[in-house]
Amino acid sequence: MPPTAPPATARSRTAAPAAGHPQEGTRNRLTKSLRRAAPALAGYVAVRLAGVVVLAHWAHLKGHGLWPALATSWDSRWYLEIADSGYDAALGTAHNSNNLAFFPLYPALIKVVAAVTPGSRASVGVLLAVACSLVAAWGIFAVGDRLYGRRTGTLLAVLWGCAPVAVVQWMGYTESLFTALTAWSLYAVLAGRWLWAGALAALAGLTRPTGVAVAAAVSVAAAVSLWQAWRRGRGPRPAVLAAGLIAPLGWTGYVAWVGVRLGRWDGYLAVQKLWLNEWDGGADTLREMRRLLLYQSKPHLYLVVVTLVLFLSVALFALCAAERLPLPLLVFTGVLLLVVLGSGGVYFPRARFLVPSFPLLLPVALAVARARRLTGALVLGGTALASLWFGAYTQLIWPGPP
């Protein structure tokens, strides 16, 4: 269960201790936190439900099924295969065929939940993604609420649901699970709940390769906190130290396990090389951008949108730095951008890789919160409509994975 946001205002965060049994106090805090987040969750669900309706209608017109698009397309098949048959035991030589590139937490959850519930594993995968998206929206709201108040937190959660490729949030993909773990880990750091932060960061590291960004955020924040405590002459803080050490264990543990399974220290790097995904400092990203924008007379719309998302993400990171967001949020988004922009290989999924980078939306949420209501409504409405259309376009017109 994620740590819960106290029901205080944006500037006053000390809640009165609950009377009675500790579990009753926890339940009360959870209930109050959920009530405070209710408008954000309602707005998020409304946007994503509208996205499903648009996708279903468009799929019907084209003679396609909705459920296969959500449950068994592209990467979803890889996770279901891992849940069914486990991981490959050898490296092999074929490109884009080794399932060790996919991290284990999501397929493990599919397998466990499917074992105790009716329905297929594909159905469980989608339902898990939907449930995790709600937990993610709650955590995103909690971060925004803690920093800037309830209105900004609500807008932040709804804007996350309006991302260009937000359609993957309700597909059999890992983005929702990863974002949920990331949001609550970052919130736990902001709230000083260090053991929660480290544990959730470790789980995020078992979910996606970009879990290294969450681990970096928690470990750097812990190191800074320890250094500040030392400068002030305070004693050791075991919980902070433990969080900094625990946070990278999920990511490093899986990478080490792949090396042991393949019998070579660079096993995970070798798997990534088979997927044509190697760190090159951004050279391949720049080549793709130049090719699309300068040399192709009619570039595919999907790739143009991906390119715009990358440019916009860098600009938003600069705004986040100018806004002086808390260090954990800047470290997370900065490392995530470095990983996404600095890796070679396939170009088209870069926008999806940035779906968990919700702190980048804080400058937009702040601007909308400070604008007049009509202006804010127009911005949110236009963003939502664009997301709904592009989500269906991604699934039914674009010929590749999102």
Side-chain angles (χ1 to χ4, degrees):
M1 182 182 297
T4 57
T9 63
R11 299 301 177 190
S12 175
R13 296 298 168 189
T14 304
H21 197 278
Q23 289 185 354
E24 183 179 349
T26 300
R27 190 181 304 113
N28 290 337
R29 289 194 299 270
L30 183 67
T31 302
K32 291 178 181 179
S33 174
L34 188 56
R35 286 177 180 171
R36 186 170 179 82
L41 296 177
Y44 172 77
V45 169
V47 171
R48 293 311 336 137
L49 277 178
V52 172
V53 171
V54 171
L55 177 59
H57 179 66
W58 198 343
H60 175 72
L61 294 177
K62 293 182 68 68
H64 294 293
L66 173 65
W67 192 248
L70 298 178
T72 59
S73 64
W74 304 109
D75 286 9
S76 302
R77 294 196 296 266
W78 286 100
Y79 293 117
L80 294 174
E81 176 195 308
I82 294 168
D84 287 337
S85 308
Y87 280 105
D88 293 335
L91 180 62
T93 58
H95 290 299
N96 302 331
S97 63
N98 193 301
N99 65 11
L100 287 166
F102 298 88
F103 277 50
L105 184 58
Y106 180 61
L109 288 175
I110 292 175
K111 186 172 184 176
V112 170
V113 175
V116 296
T117 57
S120 66
R121 285 178 174 171
S123 302
V124 169
V126 174
L127 293 177
L128 274 175
V130 173
C132 289
S133 76
L134 300 179
V135 178
W138 186 5
I140 291 168
F141 164 81
V143 171
D145 180 34
R146 183 174 186 86
L147 294 176
Y148 298 107
R150 190 179 190 185
R151 179 176 172 81
T152 299
T154 299
L155 290 168
L156 185 63
V158 175
L159 284 170
W160 181 66
C162 297
V165 288
V167 64
V168 301
Q169 294 169 10
W170 284 15
M171 291 174 59
Y173 275 59
T174 59
E175 272 69 24
S176 289
L177 172 61
F178 182 72
T179 306
L181 295 168
T182 298
W184 284 109
S185 179
L186 294 175
Y187 175 82
V189 173
L190 297 176
R193 300 173 184 179
W194 289 101
L195 293 179
W196 270 113
L200 292 169
L203 291 174
L206 288 170
T207 306
R208 290 192 59 79
T210 46
V212 67
V214 191
V218 175
S219 294
V220 169
V224 170
S225 179
L226 290 170
W227 179 71
Q228 291 174 340
W230 176 79
R231 286 195 61 187
R232 295 168 184 167
R234 296 178 181 175
R237 304 175 66 190
V240 180
L241 178 61
L245 296 175
I246 292 170
L249 291 183
W251 189 87
T252 56
Y254 179 69
V255 170
W257 179 81
V258 172
V260 171
R261 187 170 182 84
L262 297 180
R264 49 187 294 178
W265 69 270
D266 63 341
Y268 182 74
L269 296 178
V271 171
Q272 288 295 323
K273 190 173 182 179
L274 282 179
W275 283 84
L276 307 177
N277 188 20
E278 297 181 87
W279 172 265
D280 63 4
D284 184 68
T285 302
L286 291 175
R287 280 194 298 269
E288 286 293 327
M289 288 180 173
R290 183 176 61 181
R291 183 178 64 84
L292 284 168
L293 300 179
L294 299 180
Y295 297 112
Q296 284 196 0
S297 58
K298 293 183 179 180
H300 201 290
L301 175 62
Y302 185 85
L303 298 178
V304 173
V305 172
V306 170
T307 304
L308 291 176
V309 168
L310 296 182
F311 278 120
L312 184 60
S313 296
V314 174
L316 288 174
F317 180 77
L319 290 176
C320 289
E323 188 70 30
R324 296 185 179 181
L325 292 188
L327 180 64
L329 275 62
L330 291 177
V331 172
F332 167 68
T333 51
V335 174
L336 184 61
L337 280 171
L338 281 176
V339 172
V340 173
L341 297 175
S343 299
V346 290
Y347 183 76
F348 55 82
R350 306 293 178 95
R352 173 169 63 85
F353 294 164
L354 289 173
V355 165
S357 60
F358 69 91
L360 293 178
L361 297 172
L362 268 168
V364 182
L366 282 170
V368 175
R370 293 164 181 167
R372 289 184 293 183
R373 289 189 179 275
L374 178 59
T375 303
L378 290 174
V379 171
L380 275 183
T383 304
L385 289 174
S387 176
L388 302 185
W389 180 85
F390 191 70
Y393 177 92
T394 297
Q395 289 293 85
L396 301 172
I397 304 298
W398 166 245

